[in-house]
RNA sequence: GGAGAGGUGGGUGAGUGGCUGAAACCAAUAGUUUGCUAAACUGUCGUAGGGGUUAAACUCUACCGGGGGUUCGAAUCCCCCCCUCUCCGCCA
């Protein structure tokens, strides 16, 4: 959620920025916000004046009673009772206005950073960097959904039997490969100074609001009705919410956390031919990195985090490219996002494996995540996160790109974690 | 699932109707002094918002888990809800 104060001070700049997202009716919603805000403040001033008067009168009643002037006290009391009625009405109006205002604010996405290109579709994302060579596969090379059957390492049918489509069962070396990747990602994050967290994989409603999944995106999360809990779509939610309503000590900044969790996504309505196999799942594993920084450091941190992701991909020897997302392709909460895609040789397409974003104060505003600066002023912090990395598409790329007639070669860096060099 | 206790500022914690936006302590911060990797002393220090000012000063309002009620007046009394803790039960 954007800060109201910023909307007041820089509404033109915000409308300009939102144009890069092709966010509909930006100008209209912003002007509505300002209008409601103005009305609210006017009403508030009025209420406050009334309340000042009432407070003074109440005090006088007490004084009169103490002085033994019962009659005067009684008549003043009756007088107060009347003005209280109007005060009550006005307070209700104020509440209604405030809710309308908040609802409007919820609808406004984050303002893209200055360097984010305008654009509506993924085609307008900017390729910032490419690394690695795309392998040429042998005759008869297979896509990963065939390879997993050939080597019997991931079983979709078993998953369907016990849960449903999109919940695969990892078997034998397939399961070990998962575990190896998770360990590799976590140990690299550890070396980079991220404190590992193992959070719950369900969160309450307040947490959903804190990181911006709610309102509006409840349809994308699994919900446990009986207990009012959501299955997390990413570790971003529980880990970032660890710092909800927290006043951070300046000395503790930046905060760096990493966590492995399974992630659950309903992906309602997003299935099709291009999401075969591991390309899209309801449950998948991911190691997430999260940082909380002062405003002045967040963009430098964004670069640091994307270098961390690049390093992982290079160690895994996967050809990848780094994209700067255009306004229209960015998530609602983000001010700037880099996506990382690996090339899947058998499918002949790029697969998104990581997304690294700076949310600036958009989440912190909701989270009330702040610190006191040297002047003693309370300041919102910036939140950032990134996948480092999401497993399924990495697995898909490893299987496809590293396949040989003899079997699938495990990347060197993973062998200490898997305990085997080949899947055959 | 049953019974009980409790939710107060960055933290611990006092406060049962007006003198309480809230004692005390800790943390933080500014300074003084002595000095040597620190102590002592003094000051400041909740959040959000309105008015006001070039900016301050100043001033007002709300907020003691959330919502409602009683009252001229509520952190304090009443009702509902949420959450946490303890004991019992069940159980990895």
């Amino acid at each position: 959620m954007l800060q109201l104060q910023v909307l007041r001070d820089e509404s033109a700049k915000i409308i300009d920025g939102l144009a890069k997202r092709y966010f509909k009716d930006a100008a209209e919603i912003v002007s509505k916000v300002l209008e409601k805000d103005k009305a609210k403040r006017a009403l508030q001033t009025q209420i406050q004046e009334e309340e000042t008067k009432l407070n003074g009168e109440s005090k006088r009643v007490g004084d009169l009673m103490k002085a033994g002037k019962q009659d005067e006290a009684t008549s003043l009391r009756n007088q107060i009772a009347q003005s209280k009625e109007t005060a009550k009405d006005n307070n209700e109006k104020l509440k209604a206005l405030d809710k309308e205002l908040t609802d409007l604010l919820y609808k406004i996405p984050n303002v893209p950073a200055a360097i984010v290109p305008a654009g509506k579709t993924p085609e307008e994302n900017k390729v910032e960097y490419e690394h690695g060579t795309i392998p040429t596969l042998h005759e008869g090379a297979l896509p990963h959904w065939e390879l997993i059957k050939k080597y019997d390492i991931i079983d979709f049918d078993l998953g369907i039997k016990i849960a449903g489509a999109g919940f695969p069962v990892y078997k034998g070396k397939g399961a070990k490969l998962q575990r190896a990747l998770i360990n590799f990602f976590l140990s690299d994050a550890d070396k980079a100074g991220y404190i590992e967290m193992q959070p719950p994989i369900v969160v309450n409603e307040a947490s959903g609001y804190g990181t911006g999944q709610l309102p509006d995106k409840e349809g994308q999360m699994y919900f446990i009705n009986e207990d009012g809990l959501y299955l997390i779509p990413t570790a971003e939610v529980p880990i970032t919410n660890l710092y909800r309503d927290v006043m951070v000590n300046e000395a503790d900044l930046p905060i760096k956390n990493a966590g492995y969790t399974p992630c659950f996504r309903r992906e309602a309505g997003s299935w099709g031919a291009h999401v075969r196999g591991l390309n899209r799942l309801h449950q998948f594993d991911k190691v997430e990195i999260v940082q909380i920084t002062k405003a002045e450091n967040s963009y430098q941190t964004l670069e640091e985090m994307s270098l961390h992701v690049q390093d992982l991909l290079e160690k895994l020897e996967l050809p990848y490219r780094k994209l700067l997302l255009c306004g229209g392709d960015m998530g609602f909460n983000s001010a700037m996002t880099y996506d990382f895609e690996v090339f899947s040789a058998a499918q002949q397409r790029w697969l998104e494996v990581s997304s690294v974003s700076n949310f600036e104060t958009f989440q912190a505003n909701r989270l009330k995540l702040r610190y006191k600066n040297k002047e003693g002023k309370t300041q919102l912090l910036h939140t950032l996160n990134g996948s480092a990395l999401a497993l399924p598409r990495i697995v898909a790329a490893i299987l496809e790109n590293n396949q040989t007639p003899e079997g699938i070669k495990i990347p060197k860096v993973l062998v200490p974690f898997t305990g085997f060099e080949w899947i055959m």
Side-chain angles (χ1 to χ4, degrees):
Chain A
M1 189 166 67
L2 292 174
Q3 293 164 265
L4 191 52
Q5 189 62 52
V6 178
L7 269 161
R8 272 185 212 149
D9 296 344
E10 304 174 22
S11 62
K13 215 168 130 192
I14 287 175
I15 291 168
D16 272 4
L18 290 174
K20 289 199 286 190
R21 284 181 176 271
Y22 292 86
F23 175 63
K24 266 196 302 183
D25 312 323
E28 198 189 315
I29 293 188
V30 170
S31 77
K32 247 197 216 161
V33 165
L34 295 178
E35 192 185 297
K36 295 272 179 216
D37 176 48
K38 209 171 157 191
K40 186 189 144 187
R41 280 149 77 193
L43 183 59
Q44 200 178 347
T45 305
Q46 191 195 326
I47 289 173
Q48 285 181 3
E49 278 165 8
E50 287 163 6
E51 278 173 339
T52 308
K53 203 173 136 221
L54 277 173
N55 286 344
E57 284 170 347
S58 289
K59 207 161 190 159
R60 251 178 59 217
V61 170
D63 293 342
L64 287 170
M65 305 248 293
K66 252 184 235 160
K69 296 178 182 167
Q70 291 294 339
D71 291 352
E72 279 182 60
T74 310
S75 77
L76 187 53
R77 230 190 262 175
N78 294 337
Q79 211 180 307
I80 292 171
Q82 285 184 356
S83 13
K84 266 187 74 183
E85 285 306 309
T86 35
K88 205 175 163 189
D89 273 10
N90 280 334
N91 263 312
E92 264 161 37
K93 274 189 215 155
L94 183 69
K95 236 184 213 173
L97 263 176
D98 192 54
K99 180 166 188 316
E100 287 172 45
L101 187 58
T102 313
D103 287 347
L104 282 171
L105 285 173
Y106 279 141
K107 289 195 179 131
I108 306 176
N110 204 351
V111 179
I115 66 161
V116 170
K120 271 184 189 165
T121 64
E123 285 70 46
E124 289 164 89
N125 295 335
K126 212 173 114 201
V127 178
E128 293 254 305
Y129 182 70
E130 270 191 66
H131 182 273
T133 47
I134 290 163
T136 323
L137 299 183
H138 63 276
E139 194 71 24
L142 299 168
H144 72 267
W145 52 85
E146 300 291 345
L147 291 167
I148 59 172
K149 282 186 192 158
K150 180 172 171 189
Y151 297 106
D152 195 25
I153 49 174
I154 302 176
D155 195 323
F156 278 87
D157 294 331
L158 273 181
I160 287 166
K161 177 178 167 185
I162 60 166
F167 294 95
V169 174
Y170 302 88
K171 301 162 76 173
K173 285 187 171 176
K176 284 184 177 168
L177 178 59
Q178 293 287 115
R179 203 146 48 82
L181 282 164
I182 292 162
N183 276 330
F184 165 59
F185 294 150
L186 282 175
S187 86
D188 242 52
D190 183 60
K191 282 177 202 153
Y194 292 89
I195 308 295
E196 184 178 346
M197 294 285 180
Q198 227 178 78
I201 59 172
V202 292
V203 292
N204 55 25
E205 192 179 38
S207 300
Y209 276 92
T211 33
Q213 278 69 30
L214 298 175
D216 281 359
K217 279 168 232 159
E218 44 273 276
Q220 293 176 37
M221 289 189 285
Y222 288 95
F223 181 59
I224 303 162
N225 198 32
E226 201 168 2
D227 298 297
L229 296 170
Y230 294 86
L231 260 56
I232 58 169
T234 156
E236 163 196 346
V237 180
I239 292 179
T240 310
N241 271 284
L242 297 175
Y243 304 96
R244 171 154 46 84
D245 292 320
V246 168
M247 191 71 86
V248 179
N249 283 330
E250 192 175 1
D252 294 335
L253 293 168
I255 291 171
K256 297 175 78 172
N257 284 163
Y260 153 71
T261 67
C263 302
F264 301 89
R265 298 188 183 178
R266 296 189 63 230
E267 302 289 2
S270 64
W271 297 85
H274 63 296
V275 292
R276 283 190 76 174
L278 294 168
N279 291 351
R280 176 151 293 156
L281 300 172
H282 284 311
Q283 178 182 332
F284 62 95
D285 294 302
K286 178 159 63 67
V287 171
E288 185 81 359
I289 51 177
V290 172
Q291 288 212 42
I292 295 164
T293 75
K294 291 190 217 174
E296 58 267 32
N297 299 331
S298 68
Y299 279 94
Q300 191 191 319
T301 301
L302 181 69
E303 296 305 317
E304 175 201 318
M305 289 170 77
S306 46
L307 283 174
H308 180 80
V309 170
Q310 285 176 228
D311 186 53
L312 290 175
L313 293 169
E314 284 168 30
K315 282 177 178 159
L316 288 171
E317 302 166 67
L318 291 169
Y320 71 89
R321 65 181 189 180
K322 172 184 176 188
L323 304 175
L324 171 60
L325 295 195
C326 70
D329 202 32
M330 278 196 322
F332 189 85
N333 302 313
S334 175
M336 179 164 156
T337 298
Y338 288 121
D339 266 12
F340 292 88
E341 299 181 331
V342 297
F343 195 79
S344 179
Q347 298 180 67
Q348 285 292 302
R349 54 186 286 242
W350 293 97
L351 299 175
E352 182 195 332
V353 293
S354 173
S355 197
V356 183
S357 300
N358 185 356
F359 303 95
E360 297 191 3
T361 60
F362 199 79
Q363 290 181 326
N365 190 30
R366 295 295 306 284
L367 291 161
K368 291 215 213 95
L369 166 52
R370 301 160 297 175
Y371 81 108
K372 264 200 179 43
N373 68 12
K374 293 240 161 40
E375 289 79 49
K377 261 198 105 171
T378 305
Q379 301 278 328
L380 287 173
L381 289 161
H382 282 196
T383 60
L384 301 97
N385 68 51
S387 359
L389 296 159
L391 295 228
R393 294 173 190 162
I394 292 287
V395 170
I398 289 175
L399 297 180
E400 293 183 9
N401 295 11
N402 294 10
Q403 64 181 302
T404 69
E406 291 75 42
I408 295 159
K409 190 153 174 42
I410 300 295
K412 260 200 268 19
V413 71
L414 279 183
V415 172
F417 295 93
T418 55
F420 53 85
E421 289 175 47
W422 290 88
I423 294 174
M424 48 179 38

